[in-house]
Amino acid sequence: MTPTRYRPPFDFGLGGVAIGNEFEFATDEQAEATLAAAWDAGVRYFDVSPWYGLGLAERRFGRFLSRKPRSEFIISSKVGKLLRASRTNEAKRFFPFTTSPNTPHFDYTADGVLRSVEDSLQRLGLDRLDIVFVHDLSPDNGYLPDDWEALWPDAEKGAFPALTRLREEGVIDGWGMGVNRPEPILRCLERADSDVHLLASQYSLIDHANAVEQVLPAAREKGVSFVIGSALNAGFLGGEPRYNYGEGNSVIPAEKRDKLARLRAIAGDHGVDLVAAALQFSLAPDEASALIVGTAKPFHILADQAALRAKIPPAFWDELRFRGVLHPDASVPS
């Protein structure tokens, strides 16, 4: 019998990438206004990481959430990177728009996980994390000090057992991988006792075939669910001039631009808002327990929340499937 796994109790959340100044500079006041708008609209799931702005996002989220009743929201953060402040820090190398004095150091050992959780709680001003994701131990991470597979034993022997103990002790409710590629998630499902994973940049209208064929079935077999991140591919589906994350994300492959043009044309024919369709699509599978969106602009979080309630005619999904834009087995909103 498949054990019961933790699933986030809220299916829509605010992510911290933009509030950590990933793409452009955002003021503290702007970040506060975005968090306040999300809270006032009923958002109660928040996702951050030490990586986002190298501590900046956690400080901003914590400043806001530490004034809210802790029983009314859940928060996830991540482990795998420890932050060290110094006069000679390299923060701008990783986040040109951050104001952080920190340099990240990768550490997937048990001691590193415990230190990371404690550091995150200090920055957040909170007494616990609900979910912890093992962050960016993945083949797409060019900042790793070694190949991801060479570092994997540190996580399998260190991070994973440490997080399982924290869950068993009631310190956290669940844990999993937080990555942009499927390989680490599939390996973790085989070798560890995880609960919920952050499936980022892997399940969108633009790119979902591998998830449908491999990742979702593997999770279904283990009773594991996903928090879906980057349903808009870092804003690409909403019109931003970038595709996903990383230094080269402004160089967009022709096939992605062509697929976006096809999606826009079909959406236009059916009078459908493409952002609404993209968000609803990514939350449609049974294995999707929550969807997080990242923004540092109040009107964006309100628009995204409203988009999840927009009416989309079944004929739109039928045409996408007929024209081969959707995988034949991909779930669509009911």
Side-chain angles (χ1 to χ4, degrees), residues 300-320:
H300 276 170
I301 187 65
L302 299 179
D304 287 345
Q305 188 185 48
L308 285 172
R309 301 189 181 95
K311 299 296 183 182
I312 298 178
F316 169 74
W317 304 112
D318 293 341
E319 184 168 352
L320 288 184

Side-chain angles (χ1 to χ4, degrees), residues 181-223:
R181 290 277 295 270
E183 298 93 334
I185 291 174
L186 292 171
R187 186 175 295 186
C188 183
L189 289 173
E190 293 176 354
R191 303 185 183 183
D193 187 28
S194 58
D195 306 279
V196 54
H197 297 261
L198 176 55
L199 190 70
S201 308
Q202 299 177 61
Y203 197 78
S204 71
L205 279 175
I206 290 283
D207 184 7
H208 57 268
N210 186 71
V212 169
E213 294 173 4
Q214 294 192 47
V215 183
L216 298 185
R220 192 179 309 128
E221 183 178 339
K222 298 290 186 178

Side-chain angles (χ1 to χ4, degrees), residues 2 63 67 114 133 138 145 194 230 233 246 262 273 279 324 334:
T2 303
R63 189 179 304 119
R67 307 194 302 265
L114 297 177
F133 296 118
S138 178
S194 58
S230 198
N233 297 108
R262 295 169 65 195
D273 173 42
L279 296 179
S334 56

Side-chain angles (χ1 to χ4, degrees), residues 200-271:
S201 308
Q202 299 177 61
Y203 197 78
S204 71
L205 279 175
I206 290 283
D207 184 7
H208 57 268
N210 186 71
V212 169
E213 294 173 4
Q214 294 192 47
V215 183
L216 298 185
R220 192 179 309 128
E221 183 178 339
K222 298 290 186 178
V224 166
S225 69
F226 292 106
V227 173
I228 306 295
S230 198
L232 302 179
N233 297 108
F236 178 65
L237 280 162
E240 297 291 344
R242 58 178 177 259
Y243 182 78
N244 291 345
Y245 304 99
E247 293 184 11
N249 69 344
S250 61
V251 181
I252 302 170
E255 66 269 20
K256 305 302 182 186
R257 290 185 272 113
D258 292 344
K259 192 166 187 179
L260 177 60
R262 295 169 65 195
L263 283 165
R264 283 174 170 167
I266 297 169
D269 289 343
H270 291 269

